[in-house]
Each structure stands twice: as C-alpha cells, then as structure tokens.
Amino acid sequence: QVDLVESGGGLVQPGGSLRLSCEARGIIRSINRMGWYRQAPGKERELVAAIISGGRTDYADSVKGRFTISRDNAKNTGYLQMNSLKPEDTAVYYCNANVRLVYSDYWRPYWGQGTQVTVSS
C-alpha cells in the first residue's frame, strides 16, 4: 500500500506563489511517473503537469511558463512550484504517482487526498 501525502496548499493573492509537495510513503521500489491534477467546482479533473523517469515534463497550456514540476527520487517526493497565480488556478490539486512496490512486478497508480489552492484578493 502507498500513501501520497500532499502539503503546501492555501490562500494566496493573484500574482503570488505556492509550492505543493507530494511524498509517497510505502515499501516503494520505483516511481516512473508523478503528476499533478486539479479540479475546480463544476469542472472535470484535468492534468496540470507531469514528470517521468529521465526528467521529461509535460504541462497544460494554461500553466506553461508559470508552473514547474520536479521530483526528488531519493525522497520519493514530487513538487509543483506555482508562480504568477491567477484566480482561475483555484482548485483542489491532486498528486498522482505510478508506483511499483518492492515485492511486486506491477505498476499501479495512486492518488493523494487533495489540497485546496485558492487564489483571491
């Protein structure tokens, strides 16, 4: 079993910054992909950013140039640095990781519990 523990959400003014963290806890052999998704009220969950083994990254067009995804493999932790935040970035942000456990040959996706990000003056 894997738990993804998120932190770093909160209330920020437009133009401000936040840094989200996602720590994967469990008997983990490897993580080949970590991603951040968000869901605003009345909208579907959408991909914000993802990073795969080797360091390749993908971003939603709406956050390119403002958000940066990174990871610390030694700590099984991913980060989302969010700069120049806008009110339309307001949503619950979810961490996702594709994980292989020590005693397993299979990869499985896991989700965090979500952290609220509110951008408002």
Side-chain angles (χ1 to χ4, degrees):
Q1 181 63 26
V2 173
D3 292 320
L4 299 185
V5 181
E6 301 160 353
S7 59
L11 172 64
V12 64
Q13 292 186 342
S17 298
L18 284 173
R19 188 192 194 208
L20 305 183
S21 298
C22 172
E23 180 186 1
R25 298 178 180 175
I27 308 173
I28 296 169
R29 179 188 297 181
S30 184
I31 300 173
N32 67 356
R33 180 185 183 276
M34 294 190 82
W36 290 93
Y37 294 72
R38 68 186 180 188
Q39 188 166 19
K43 295 187 177 181
E44 293 187 354
R45 190 174 297 188
E46 63 175 356
L47 175 66
V48 176
I51 184 167
I52 65 171
S53 298
R56 196 193 83 183
T57 57
D58 289 310
Y59 295 93
D61 288 342
S62 58
V63 307
K64 284 180 180 176
R66 300 189 297 123
F67 291 11
T68 302
I69 189 170
S70 61
R71 59 187 284 187
D72 184 331
N73 293 329
K75 297 180 179 180
N76 287 330
T77 300
Y79 305 95
L80 184 67
Q81 177 67 43
M82 304 185 294
N83 299 327
S84 303
L85 282 160
K86 304 175 181 180
E88 51 264 43
D89 294 318
T90 295
V92 178
Y93 283 69
Y94 297 91
C95 175
N96 168 267
N98 207 38
V99 179
R100 186 165 67 175
L101 299 176
V102 168
Y103 50 81
S104 175
D105 291 330
Y106 302 99
W107 297 90
R108 276 194 57 192
Y110 293 87
W111 289 90
Q113 78 284 0
T115 184
Q116 178 70 46
V117 171
T118 302
V119 185
S120 175
S121 55

mmCIF file with all atom_site columns, all heavy atoms in Angstrom, residues 42-68:
data_model
loop_
_atom_site.group_PDB
_atom_site.id
_atom_site.type_symbol
_atom_site.label_atom_id
_atom_site.label_alt_id
_atom_site.label_comp_id
_atom_site.label_asym_id
_atom_site.label_entity_id
_atom_site.label_seq_id
_atom_site.pdbx_PDB_ins_code
_atom_site.Cartn_x
_atom_site.Cartn_y
_atom_site.Cartn_z
_atom_site.occupancy
_atom_site.B_iso_or_equiv
_atom_site.pdbx_formal_charge
_atom_site.auth_seq_id
_atom_site.auth_comp_id
_atom_site.auth_asym_id
_atom_site.auth_atom_id
_atom_site.pdbx_PDB_model_num
ATOM 1   N N   . GLY A 1 42 ? -17.498 22.210 -10.316 1.00 0.00 ? 42 GLY A N   1
ATOM 2   C CA  . GLY A 1 42 ? -18.289 22.117 -11.534 1.00 0.00 ? 42 GLY A CA  1
ATOM 3   C C   . GLY A 1 42 ? -17.503 21.731 -12.769 1.00 0.00 ? 42 GLY A C   1
ATOM 4   O O   . GLY A 1 42 ? -18.071 21.700 -13.868 1.00 0.00 ? 42 GLY A O   1
ATOM 5   N N   . LYS A 1 43 ? -16.214 21.446 -12.595 1.00 0.00 ? 43 LYS A N   1
ATOM 6   C CA  . LYS A 1 43 ? -15.385 21.087 -13.745 1.00 0.00 ? 43 LYS A CA  1
ATOM 7   C C   . LYS A 1 43 ? -14.777 19.707 -13.563 1.00 0.00 ? 43 LYS A C   1
ATOM 8   O O   . LYS A 1 43 ? -14.693 19.186 -12.445 1.00 0.00 ? 43 LYS A O   1
ATOM 9   C CB  . LYS A 1 43 ? -14.282 22.132 -13.949 1.00 0.00 ? 43 LYS A CB  1
ATOM 10  C CG  . LYS A 1 43 ? -14.793 23.506 -14.322 1.00 0.00 ? 43 LYS A CG  1
ATOM 11  C CD  . LYS A 1 43 ? -13.644 24.436 -14.674 1.00 0.00 ? 43 LYS A CD  1
ATOM 12  C CE  . LYS A 1 43 ? -14.148 25.796 -15.127 1.00 0.00 ? 43 LYS A CE  1
ATOM 13  N NZ  . LYS A 1 43 ? -13.039 26.700 -15.506 1.00 0.00 ? 43 LYS A NZ  1
ATOM 14  N N   . GLU A 1 44 ? -14.314 19.140 -14.662 1.00 0.00 ? 44 GLU A N   1
ATOM 15  C CA  . GLU A 1 44 ? -13.665 17.841 -14.599 1.00 0.00 ? 44 GLU A CA  1
ATOM 16  C C   . GLU A 1 44 ? -12.216 17.989 -14.131 1.00 0.00 ? 44 GLU A C   1
ATOM 17  O O   . GLU A 1 44 ? -11.609 19.049 -14.291 1.00 0.00 ? 44 GLU A O   1
ATOM 18  C CB  . GLU A 1 44 ? -13.697 17.177 -15.980 1.00 0.00 ? 44 GLU A CB  1
ATOM 19  C CG  . GLU A 1 44 ? -15.092 16.799 -16.433 1.00 0.00 ? 44 GLU A CG  1
ATOM 20  C CD  . GLU A 1 44 ? -15.070 16.006 -17.724 1.00 0.00 ? 44 GLU A CD  1
ATOM 21  O OE1 . GLU A 1 44 ? -13.983 15.859 -18.317 1.00 0.00 ? 44 GLU A OE1 1
ATOM 22  O OE2 . GLU A 1 44 ? -16.132 15.540 -18.140 1.00 0.00 ? 44 GLU A OE2 1
ATOM 23  N N   . ARG A 1 45 ? -11.711 16.904 -13.587 1.00 0.00 ? 45 ARG A N   1
ATOM 24  C CA  . ARG A 1 45 ? -10.313 16.907 -13.184 1.00 0.00 ? 45 ARG A CA  1
ATOM 25  C C   . ARG A 1 45 ? -9.429  16.984 -14.431 1.00 0.00 ? 45 ARG A C   1
ATOM 26  O O   . ARG A 1 45 ? -9.687  16.300 -15.427 1.00 0.00 ? 45 ARG A O   1
ATOM 27  C CB  . ARG A 1 45 ? -9.984  15.636 -12.388 1.00 0.00 ? 45 ARG A CB  1
ATOM 28  C CG  . ARG A 1 45 ? -8.619  15.642 -11.726 1.00 0.00 ? 45 ARG A CG  1
ATOM 29  C CD  . ARG A 1 45 ? -8.428  14.426 -10.834 1.00 0.00 ? 45 ARG A CD  1
ATOM 30  N NE  . ARG A 1 45 ? -9.380  14.409 -9.727  1.00 0.00 ? 45 ARG A NE  1
ATOM 31  C CZ  . ARG A 1 45 ? -9.317  13.537 -8.721  1.00 0.00 ? 45 ARG A CZ  1
ATOM 32  N NH1 . ARG A 1 45 ? -8.338  12.632 -8.678  1.00 0.00 ? 45 ARG A NH1 1
ATOM 33  N NH2 . ARG A 1 45 ? -10.215 13.570 -7.763  1.00 0.00 ? 45 ARG A NH2 1
ATOM 34  N N   . GLU A 1 46 ? -8.387  17.814 -14.356 1.00 0.00 ? 46 GLU A N   1
ATOM 35  C CA  . GLU A 1 46 ? -7.518  17.993 -15.509 1.00 0.00 ? 46 GLU A CA  1
ATOM 36  C C   . GLU A 1 46 ? -6.060  17.865 -15.100 1.00 0.00 ? 46 GLU A C   1
ATOM 37  O O   . GLU A 1 46 ? -5.679  18.177 -13.966 1.00 0.00 ? 46 GLU A O   1
ATOM 38  C CB  . GLU A 1 46 ? -7.737  19.376 -16.146 1.00 0.00 ? 46 GLU A CB  1
ATOM 39  C CG  . GLU A 1 46 ? -7.401  20.547 -15.237 1.00 0.00 ? 46 GLU A CG  1
ATOM 40  C CD  . GLU A 1 46 ? -7.510  21.897 -15.944 1.00 0.00 ? 46 GLU A CD  1
ATOM 41  O OE1 . GLU A 1 46 ? -7.766  21.935 -17.155 1.00 0.00 ? 46 GLU A OE1 1
ATOM 42  O OE2 . GLU A 1 46 ? -7.297  22.916 -15.263 1.00 0.00 ? 46 GLU A OE2 1
ATOM 43  N N   . LEU A 1 47 ? -5.243  17.421 -16.056 1.00 0.00 ? 47 LEU A N   1
ATOM 44  C CA  . LEU A 1 47 ? -3.811  17.323 -15.824 1.00 0.00 ? 47 LEU A CA  1
ATOM 45  C C   . LEU A 1 47 ? -3.203  18.725 -15.813 1.00 0.00 ? 47 LEU A C   1
ATOM 46  O O   . LEU A 1 47 ? -3.453  19.522 -16.720 1.00 0.00 ? 47 LEU A O   1
ATOM 47  C CB  . LEU A 1 47 ? -3.147  16.479 -16.911 1.00 0.00 ? 47 LEU A CB  1
ATOM 48  C CG  . LEU A 1 47 ? -1.624  16.397 -16.858 1.00 0.00 ? 47 LEU A CG  1
ATOM 49  C CD1 . LEU A 1 47 ? -1.161  15.647 -15.605 1.00 0.00 ? 47 LEU A CD1 1
ATOM 50  C CD2 . LEU A 1 47 ? -1.077  15.734 -18.118 1.00 0.00 ? 47 LEU A CD2 1
ATOM 51  N N   . VAL A 1 48 ? -2.397  18.983 -14.805 1.00 0.00 ? 48 VAL A N   1
ATOM 52  C CA  . VAL A 1 48 ? -1.673  20.254 -14.719 1.00 0.00 ? 48 VAL A CA  1
ATOM 53  C C   . VAL A 1 48 ? -0.236  20.072 -15.200 1.00 0.00 ? 48 VAL A C   1
ATOM 54  O O   . VAL A 1 48 ? 0.250   20.831 -16.042 1.00 0.00 ? 48 VAL A O   1
ATOM 55  C CB  . VAL A 1 48 ? -1.676  20.781 -13.269 1.00 0.00 ? 48 VAL A CB  1
ATOM 56  C CG1 . VAL A 1 48 ? -0.845  22.057 -13.163 1.00 0.00 ? 48 VAL A CG1 1
ATOM 57  C CG2 . VAL A 1 48 ? -3.100  21.025 -12.786 1.00 0.00 ? 48 VAL A CG2 1
ATOM 58  N N   . ALA A 1 49 ? 0.436   19.067 -14.661 1.00 0.00 ? 49 ALA A N   1
ATOM 59  C CA  . ALA A 1 49 ? 1.839   18.831 -15.017 1.00 0.00 ? 49 ALA A CA  1
ATOM 60  C C   . ALA A 1 49 ? 2.208   17.403 -14.653 1.00 0.00 ? 49 ALA A C   1
ATOM 61  O O   . ALA A 1 49 ? 1.620   16.821 -13.740 1.00 0.00 ? 49 ALA A O   1
ATOM 62  C CB  . ALA A 1 49 ? 2.755   19.805 -14.289 1.00 0.00 ? 49 ALA A CB  1
ATOM 63  N N   . ALA A 1 50 ? 3.185   16.852 -15.368 1.00 0.00 ? 50 ALA A N   1
ATOM 64  C CA  . ALA A 1 50 ? 3.665   15.506 -15.079 1.00 0.00 ? 50 ALA A CA  1
ATOM 65  C C   . ALA A 1 50 ? 5.158   15.436 -15.354 1.00 0.00 ? 50 ALA A C   1
ATOM 66  O O   . ALA A 1 50 ? 5.684   16.171 -16.201 1.00 0.00 ? 50 ALA A O   1
ATOM 67  C CB  . ALA A 1 50 ? 2.915   14.476 -15.917 1.00 0.00 ? 50 ALA A CB  1
ATOM 68  N N   . ILE A 1 51 ? 5.808   14.531 -14.628 1.00 0.00 ? 51 ILE A N   1
ATOM 69  C CA  . ILE A 1 51 ? 7.234   14.299 -14.830 1.00 0.00 ? 51 ILE A CA  1
ATOM 70  C C   . ILE A 1 51 ? 7.479   12.799 -14.804 1.00 0.00 ? 51 ILE A C   1
ATOM 71  O O   . ILE A 1 51 ? 6.928   12.088 -13.961 1.00 0.00 ? 51 ILE A O   1
ATOM 72  C CB  . ILE A 1 51 ? 8.078   15.023 -13.754 1.00 0.00 ? 51 ILE A CB  1
ATOM 73  C CG1 . ILE A 1 51 ? 9.568   14.855 -14.026 1.00 0.00 ? 51 ILE A CG1 1
ATOM 74  C CG2 . ILE A 1 51 ? 7.709   14.567 -12.348 1.00 0.00 ? 51 ILE A CG2 1
ATOM 75  C CD1 . ILE A 1 51 ? 10.439  15.790 -13.185 1.00 0.00 ? 51 ILE A CD1 1
ATOM 76  N N   . ILE A 1 52 ? 8.259   12.315 -15.777 1.00 0.00 ? 52 ILE A N   1
ATOM 77  C CA  . ILE A 1 52 ? 8.522   10.889 -15.853 1.00 0.00 ? 52 ILE A CA  1
ATOM 78  C C   . ILE A 1 52 ? 9.999   10.620 -15.597 1.00 0.00 ? 52 ILE A C   1
ATOM 79  O O   . ILE A 1 52 ? 10.812  11.558 -15.568 1.00 0.00 ? 52 ILE A O   1
ATOM 80  C CB  . ILE A 1 52 ? 8.113   10.317 -17.217 1.00 0.00 ? 52 ILE A CB  1
ATOM 81  C CG1 . ILE A 1 52 ? 8.967   10.916 -18.331 1.00 0.00 ? 52 ILE A CG1 1
ATOM 82  C CG2 . ILE A 1 52 ? 6.635   10.560 -17.470 1.00 0.00 ? 52 ILE A CG2 1
ATOM 83  C CD1 . ILE A 1 52 ? 8.755   10.235 -19.671 1.00 0.00 ? 52 ILE A CD1 1
ATOM 84  N N   . SER A 1 53 ? 10.312  9.345  -15.411 1.00 0.00 ? 53 SER A N   1
ATOM 85  C CA  . SER A 1 53 ? 11.708  8.954  -15.213 1.00 0.00 ? 53 SER A CA  1
ATOM 86  C C   . SER A 1 53 ? 12.551  9.478  -16.367 1.00 0.00 ? 53 SER A C   1
ATOM 87  O O   . SER A 1 53 ? 12.161  9.381  -17.523 1.00 0.00 ? 53 SER A O   1
ATOM 88  C CB  . SER A 1 53 ? 11.818  7.433  -15.139 1.00 0.00 ? 53 SER A CB  1
ATOM 89  O OG  . SER A 1 53 ? 11.103  6.936  -14.054 1.00 0.00 ? 53 SER A OG  1
ATOM 90  N N   . GLY A 1 54 ? 13.682  10.030 -16.051 1.00 0.00 ? 54 GLY A N   1
ATOM 91  C CA  . GLY A 1 54 ? 14.507  10.653 -17.070 1.00 0.00 ? 54 GLY A CA  1
ATOM 92  C C   . GLY A 1 54 ? 14.349  12.154 -17.077 1.00 0.00 ? 54 GLY A C   1
ATOM 93  O O   . GLY A 1 54 ? 15.167  12.858 -17.673 1.00 0.00 ? 54 GLY A O   1
ATOM 94  N N   . GLY A 1 55 ? 13.264  12.626 -16.443 1.00 0.00 ? 55 GLY A N   1
ATOM 95  C CA  . GLY A 1 55 ? 13.096  14.051 -16.264 1.00 0.00 ? 55 GLY A CA  1
ATOM 96  C C   . GLY A 1 55 ? 12.230  14.767 -17.264 1.00 0.00 ? 55 GLY A C   1
ATOM 97  O O   . GLY A 1 55 ? 12.047  15.985 -17.173 1.00 0.00 ? 55 GLY A O   1
ATOM 98  N N   . ARG A 1 56 ? 11.669  14.031 -18.229 1.00 0.00 ? 56 ARG A N   1
ATOM 99  C CA  . ARG A 1 56 ? 10.801  14.714 -19.189 1.00 0.00 ? 56 ARG A CA  1
ATOM 100 C C   . ARG A 1 56 ? 9.557   15.224 -18.484 1.00 0.00 ? 56 ARG A C   1
ATOM 101 O O   . ARG A 1 56 ? 8.991   14.533 -17.639 1.00 0.00 ? 56 ARG A O   1
ATOM 102 C CB  . ARG A 1 56 ? 10.387  13.777 -20.310 1.00 0.00 ? 56 ARG A CB  1
ATOM 103 C CG  . ARG A 1 56 ? 9.826   14.503 -21.531 1.00 0.00 ? 56 ARG A CG  1
ATOM 104 C CD  . ARG A 1 56 ? 9.143   13.547 -22.477 1.00 0.00 ? 56 ARG A CD  1
ATOM 105 N NE  . ARG A 1 56 ? 7.784   13.280 -22.041 1.00 0.00 ? 56 ARG A NE  1
ATOM 106 C CZ  . ARG A 1 56 ? 6.961   12.430 -22.652 1.00 0.00 ? 56 ARG A CZ  1
ATOM 107 N NH1 . ARG A 1 56 ? 7.396   11.735 -23.678 1.00 0.00 ? 56 ARG A NH1 1
ATOM 108 N NH2 . ARG A 1 56 ? 5.745   12.246 -22.206 1.00 0.00 ? 56 ARG A NH2 1
ATOM 109 N N   . THR A 1 57 ? 9.140   16.427 -18.857 1.00 0.00 ? 57 THR A N   1
ATOM 110 C CA  . THR A 1 57 ? 7.978   17.058 -18.237 1.00 0.00 ? 57 THR A CA  1
ATOM 111 C C   . THR A 1 57 ? 6.934   17.442 -19.273 1.00 0.00 ? 57 THR A C   1
ATOM 112 O O   . THR A 1 57 ? 7.262   17.703 -20.441 1.00 0.00 ? 57 THR A O   1
ATOM 113 C CB  . THR A 1 57 ? 8.385   18.314 -17.452 1.00 0.00 ? 57 THR A CB  1
ATOM 114 O OG1 . THR A 1 57 ? 9.056   19.222 -18.341 1.00 0.00 ? 57 THR A OG1 1
ATOM 115 C CG2 . THR A 1 57 ? 9.321   17.975 -16.302 1.00 0.00 ? 57 THR A CG2 1
ATOM 116 N N   . ASP A 1 58 ? 5.688   17.474 -18.819 1.00 0.00 ? 58 ASP A N   1
ATOM 117 C CA  . ASP A 1 58 ? 4.581   17.932 -19.653 1.00 0.00 ? 58 ASP A CA  1
ATOM 118 C C   . ASP A 1 58 ? 3.739   18.887 -18.820 1.00 0.00 ? 58 ASP A C   1
ATOM 119 O O   . ASP A 1 58 ? 3.553   18.664 -17.622 1.00 0.00 ? 58 ASP A O   1
ATOM 120 C CB  . ASP A 1 58 ? 3.710   16.757 -20.105 1.00 0.00 ? 58 ASP A CB  1
ATOM 121 C CG  . ASP A 1 58 ? 4.415   15.889 -21.125 1.00 0.00 ? 58 ASP A CG  1
ATOM 122 O OD1 . ASP A 1 58 ? 4.943   16.449 -22.108 1.00 0.00 ? 58 ASP A OD1 1
ATOM 123 O OD2 . ASP A 1 58 ? 4.431   14.665 -20.935 1.00 0.00 ? 58 ASP A OD2 1
ATOM 124 N N   . TYR A 1 59 ? 3.202   19.910 -19.476 1.00 0.00 ? 59 TYR A N   1
ATOM 125 C CA  . TYR A 1 59 ? 2.392   20.907 -18.796 1.00 0.00 ? 59 TYR A CA  1
ATOM 126 C C   . TYR A 1 59 ? 1.133   21.212 -19.587 1.00 0.00 ? 59 TYR A C   1
ATOM 127 O O   . TYR A 1 59 ? 1.137   21.193 -20.824 1.00 0.00 ? 59 TYR A O   1
ATOM 128 C CB  . TYR A 1 59 ? 3.172   22.223 -18.633 1.00 0.00 ? 59 TYR A CB  1
ATOM 129 C CG  . TYR A 1 59 ? 4.372   22.128 -17.732 1.00 0.00 ? 59 TYR A CG  1
ATOM 130 C CD1 . TYR A 1 59 ? 5.629   21.865 -18.252 1.00 0.00 ? 59 TYR A CD1 1
ATOM 131 C CD2 . TYR A 1 59 ? 4.248   22.306 -16.354 1.00 0.00 ? 59 TYR A CD2 1
ATOM 132 C CE1 . TYR A 1 59 ? 6.742   21.778 -17.432 1.00 0.00 ? 59 TYR A CE1 1
ATOM 133 C CE2 . TYR A 1 59 ? 5.363   22.224 -15.514 1.00 0.00 ? 59 TYR A CE2 1
ATOM 134 C CZ  . TYR A 1 59 ? 6.603   21.944 -16.070 1.00 0.00 ? 59 TYR A CZ  1
ATOM 135 O OH  . TYR A 1 59 ? 7.696   21.864 -15.249 1.00 0.00 ? 59 TYR A OH  1
ATOM 136 N N   . ALA A 1 60 ? 0.072   21.522 -18.857 1.00 0.00 ? 60 ALA A N   1
ATOM 137 C CA  . ALA A 1 60 ? -1.105  22.074 -19.513 1.00 0.00 ? 60 ALA A CA  1
ATOM 138 C C   . ALA A 1 60 ? -0.749  23.446 -20.081 1.00 0.00 ? 60 ALA A C   1
ATOM 139 O O   . ALA A 1 60 ? 0.054   24.182 -19.490 1.00 0.00 ? 60 ALA A O   1
ATOM 140 C CB  . ALA A 1 60 ? -2.240  22.210 -18.500 1.00 0.00 ? 60 ALA A CB  1
ATOM 141 N N   . ASP A 1 61 ? -1.340  23.781 -21.207 1.00 0.00 ? 61 ASP A N   1
ATOM 142 C CA  . ASP A 1 61 ? -1.040  25.069 -21.844 1.00 0.00 ? 61 ASP A CA  1
ATOM 143 C C   . ASP A 1 61 ? -1.302  26.235 -20.896 1.00 0.00 ? 61 ASP A C   1
ATOM 144 O O   . ASP A 1 61 ? -0.587  27.249 -20.923 1.00 0.00 ? 61 ASP A O   1
ATOM 145 C CB  . ASP A 1 61 ? -1.876  25.238 -23.108 1.00 0.00 ? 61 ASP A CB  1
ATOM 146 C CG  . ASP A 1 61 ? -1.407  24.341 -24.238 1.00 0.00 ? 61 ASP A CG  1
ATOM 147 O OD1 . ASP A 1 61 ? -0.255  23.847 -24.183 1.00 0.00 ? 61 ASP A OD1 1
ATOM 148 O OD2 . ASP A 1 61 ? -2.187  24.139 -25.188 1.00 0.00 ? 61 ASP A OD2 1
ATOM 149 N N   . SER A 1 62 ? -2.304  26.097 -20.056 1.00 0.00 ? 62 SER A N   1
ATOM 150 C CA  . SER A 1 62 ? -2.716  27.198 -19.182 1.00 0.00 ? 62 SER A CA  1
ATOM 151 C C   . SER A 1 62 ? -1.692  27.511 -18.088 1.00 0.00 ? 62 SER A C   1
ATOM 152 O O   . SER A 1 62 ? -1.762  28.582 -17.475 1.00 0.00 ? 62 SER A O   1
ATOM 153 C CB  . SER A 1 62 ? -4.062  26.874 -18.528 1.00 0.00 ? 62 SER A CB  1
ATOM 154 O OG  . SER A 1 62 ? -3.973  25.675 -17.781 1.00 0.00 ? 62 SER A OG  1
ATOM 155 N N   . VAL A 1 63 ? -0.743  26.596 -17.843 1.00 0.00 ? 63 VAL A N   1
ATOM 156 C CA  . VAL A 1 63 ? 0.224   26.832 -16.765 1.00 0.00 ? 63 VAL A CA  1
ATOM 157 C C   . VAL A 1 63 ? 1.659   26.920 -17.267 1.00 0.00 ? 63 VAL A C   1
ATOM 158 O O   . VAL A 1 63 ? 2.573   27.187 -16.471 1.00 0.00 ? 63 VAL A O   1
ATOM 159 C CB  . VAL A 1 63 ? 0.127   25.744 -15.672 1.00 0.00 ? 63 VAL A CB  1
ATOM 160 C CG1 . VAL A 1 63 ? -1.307  25.611 -15.166 1.00 0.00 ? 63 VAL A CG1 1
ATOM 161 C CG2 . VAL A 1 63 ? 0.653   24.407 -16.162 1.00 0.00 ? 63 VAL A CG2 1
ATOM 162 N N   . LYS A 1 64 ? 1.874   26.721 -18.541 1.00 0.00 ? 64 LYS A N   1
ATOM 163 C CA  . LYS A 1 64 ? 3.236   26.778 -19.082 1.00 0.00 ? 64 LYS A CA  1
ATOM 164 C C   . LYS A 1 64 ? 3.869   28.145 -18.815 1.00 0.00 ? 64 LYS A C   1
ATOM 165 O O   . LYS A 1 64 ? 3.238   29.172 -19.014 1.00 0.00 ? 64 LYS A O   1
ATOM 166 C CB  . LYS A 1 64 ? 3.221   26.495 -20.582 1.00 0.00 ? 64 LYS A CB  1
ATOM 167 C CG  . LYS A 1 64 ? 3.033   25.037 -20.930 1.00 0.00 ? 64 LYS A CG  1
ATOM 168 C CD  . LYS A 1 64 ? 3.040   24.823 -22.437 1.00 0.00 ? 64 LYS A CD  1
ATOM 169 C CE  . LYS A 1 64 ? 2.842   23.359 -22.786 1.00 0.00 ? 64 LYS A CE  1
ATOM 170 N NZ  . LYS A 1 64 ? 2.758   23.123 -24.239 1.00 0.00 ? 64 LYS A NZ  1
ATOM 171 N N   . GLY A 1 65 ? 5.114   28.093 -18.353 1.00 0.00 ? 65 GLY A N   1
ATOM 172 C CA  . GLY A 1 65 ? 5.824   29.328 -18.041 1.00 0.00 ? 65 GLY A CA  1
ATOM 173 C C   . GLY A 1 65 ? 5.571   29.848 -16.649 1.00 0.00 ? 65 GLY A C   1
ATOM 174 O O   . GLY A 1 65 ? 6.266   30.760 -16.190 1.00 0.00 ? 65 GLY A O   1
ATOM 175 N N   . ARG A 1 66 ? 4.578   29.292 -15.959 1.00 0.00 ? 66 ARG A N   1
ATOM 176 C CA  . ARG A 1 66 ? 4.253   29.739 -14.598 1.00 0.00 ? 66 ARG A CA  1
ATOM 177 C C   . ARG A 1 66 ? 4.502   28.644 -13.557 1.00 0.00 ? 66 ARG A C   1
ATOM 178 O O   . ARG A 1 66 ? 4.897   28.943 -12.433 1.00 0.00 ? 66 ARG A O   1
ATOM 179 C CB  . ARG A 1 66 ? 2.792   30.181 -14.523 1.00 0.00 ? 66 ARG A CB  1
ATOM 180 C CG  . ARG A 1 66 ? 2.443   31.331 -15.446 1.00 0.00 ? 66 ARG A CG  1
ATOM 181 C CD  . ARG A 1 66 ? 1.039   31.866 -15.172 1.00 0.00 ? 66 ARG A CD  1
ATOM 182 N NE  . ARG A 1 66 ? 0.003   30.865 -15.424 1.00 0.00 ? 66 ARG A NE  1
ATOM 183 C CZ  . ARG A 1 66 ? -0.882  30.464 -14.504 1.00 0.00 ? 66 ARG A CZ  1
ATOM 184 N NH1 . ARG A 1 66 ? -0.857  30.965 -13.285 1.00 0.00 ? 66 ARG A NH1 1
ATOM 185 N NH2 . ARG A 1 66 ? -1.802  29.555 -14.814 1.00 0.00 ? 66 ARG A NH2 1
ATOM 186 N N   . PHE A 1 67 ? 4.229   27.400 -13.928 1.00 0.00 ? 67 PHE A N   1
ATOM 187 C CA  . PHE A 1 67 ? 4.365   26.271 -13.003 1.00 0.00 ? 67 PHE A CA  1
ATOM 188 C C   . PHE A 1 67 ? 5.581   25.436 -13.391 1.00 0.00 ? 67 PHE A C   1
ATOM 189 O O   . PHE A 1 67 ? 5.898   25.294 -14.577 1.00 0.00 ? 67 PHE A O   1
ATOM 190 C CB  . PHE A 1 67 ? 3.139   25.381 -13.043 1.00 0.00 ? 67 PHE A CB  1
ATOM 191 C CG  . PHE A 1 67 ? 1.883   25.977 -12.469 1.00 0.00 ? 67 PHE A CG  1
ATOM 192 C CD1 . PHE A 1 67 ? 1.795   27.320 -12.141 1.00 0.00 ? 67 PHE A CD1 1
ATOM 193 C CD2 . PHE A 1 67 ? 0.764   25.182 -12.256 1.00 0.00 ? 67 PHE A CD2 1
ATOM 194 C CE1 . PHE A 1 67 ? 0.646   27.865 -11.609 1.00 0.00 ? 67 PHE A CE1 1
ATOM 195 C CE2 . PHE A 1 67 ? -0.403  25.707 -11.727 1.00 0.00 ? 67 PHE A CE2 1
ATOM 196 C CZ  . PHE A 1 67 ? -0.460  27.059 -11.404 1.00 0.00 ? 67 PHE A CZ  1
ATOM 197 N N   . THR A 1 68 ? 6.219   24.841 -12.385 1.00 0.00 ? 68 THR A N   1
ATOM 198 C CA  . THR A 1 68 ? 7.344   23.951 -12.622 1.00 0.00 ? 68 THR A CA  1
ATOM 199 C C   . THR A 1 68 ? 7.193   22.705 -11.764 1.00 0.00 ? 68 THR A C   1
ATOM 200 O O   . THR A 1 68 ? 7.036   22.809 -10.538 1.00 0.00 ? 68 THR A O   1
ATOM 201 C CB  . THR A 1 68 ? 8.674   24.634 -12.277 1.00 0.00 ? 68 THR A CB  1
ATOM 202 O OG1 . THR A 1 68 ? 8.820   25.832 -13.047 1.00 0.00 ? 68 THR A OG1 1
ATOM 203 C CG2 . THR A 1 68 ? 9.848   23.704 -12.585 1.00 0.00 ? 68 THR A CG2 1
#
